[in-house]
Amino acid sequence: CLVLANAWQALGESRAATAWYARARDFARPLGDRASIMASIANRAALRLNEAWIGSFFGQTRGPEELRDIEAEMSGALAYERVTGSDAFVLQTTLTRLRFAALKNDFSTALNSASAAETPATQESQSMVRTKTILKAWLSFKALGQLPVPKDFYASAEDEIRSLDKDDAAVSW
């Protein structure tokens, strides 16, 4: 059910996706399968956020109401995670907030948060380091001419890129 729900969501067929996400929860609930319930809540929000995020790279903007809806869905997923004691999204929480700030064109908050969110790479997966590196570069590009970029911003991004494997570094550049 989740595969079909995700596929419909990725194709932009929200109504069909909603029905399949509900069906996935209906199967998971009697089994006590919290991971599947969490996925049925979070996947939809994550896919919608990623669609908005990728679209923003190409100049597509989302209205404030749509961003509020996506943010509410993501907040619900994070709340469910806290209640159930899961930590599937714990590393994504900061990046999710940064993405929402950037999508709302609040680049000052997003850039400051990106700099403040630094943690040693040993505590993060390579995927998270790559995501933060790409995020910082994108924020810098978007903020060009609108905000002063922090002094060590570019040096920090270069250091992070050097720490990645060659494929991830190529994507980041």
Side-chain angles (χ1 to χ4, degrees):
C1 292
L2 280 174
V3 171
L4 289 172
N6 290 338
W8 282 118
Q9 188 66 44
L11 291 170
E13 297 291 337
S14 189
R15 179 171 275 149
T18 299
W20 282 101
Y21 284 124
R23 192 166 184 179
R25 283 190 299 278
D26 289 344
F27 280 110
R29 214 173 279 118
L31 299 172
D33 184 355
R34 293 188 322 206
S36 291
I37 294 170
M38 173 70 181
S40 70
I41 297 168
N43 286 8
R44 176 184 165 96
L47 285 168
R48 289 182 71 199
L49 176 59
N50 285 337
E51 181 184 337
W53 182 248
I54 291 167
S56 70
F57 283 87
F58 300 100
Q60 299 169 3
T61 58
R62 299 293 197 266
E65 189 172 306
E66 184 178 358
L67 288 176
R68 271 193 305 274
D69 288 349
I70 298 169
E71 199 166 12
E73 279 184 329
M74 188 59 78
S75 294
L78 294 170
Y80 183 82
E81 179 182 63
R82 277 192 302 278
V83 168
T84 61
S86 171
D87 63 356
F89 280 135
V90 74
L91 291 174
Q92 291 287 340
T93 304
T94 301
L95 291 177
T96 297
R97 287 189 188 117
L98 296 177
R99 285 180 175 182
F100 278 117
L103 288 168
K104 293 174 184 174
N105 293 324
D106 185 358
F107 301 117
S108 178
T109 297
L111 271 171
N112 290 334
S113 298
S115 296
E118 296 303 312
T119 56
T122 55
Q123 294 178 1
E124 298 179 300
S125 71
Q126 284 291 330
S127 173
M128 291 300 292
V129 172
R130 180 183 65 232
T131 300
K132 282 170 55 171
T133 302
I134 293 169
L135 172 69
K136 286 173 69 174
W138 182 81
L139 286 171
S140 174
F141 173 75
K142 290 293 276 188
L144 249 148
Q146 296 177 18
L147 301 168
V149 178
K151 247 192 257 184
D152 65 342
F153 184 82
Y154 294 107
S156 171
E158 268 189 60
D159 289 344
E160 289 174 22
I161 290 172
R162 283 191 190 103
S163 75
L164 301 175
D165 64 47
K166 289 178 184 176
D167 292 338
D168 289 343
V171 168
S172 298
W173 279 117

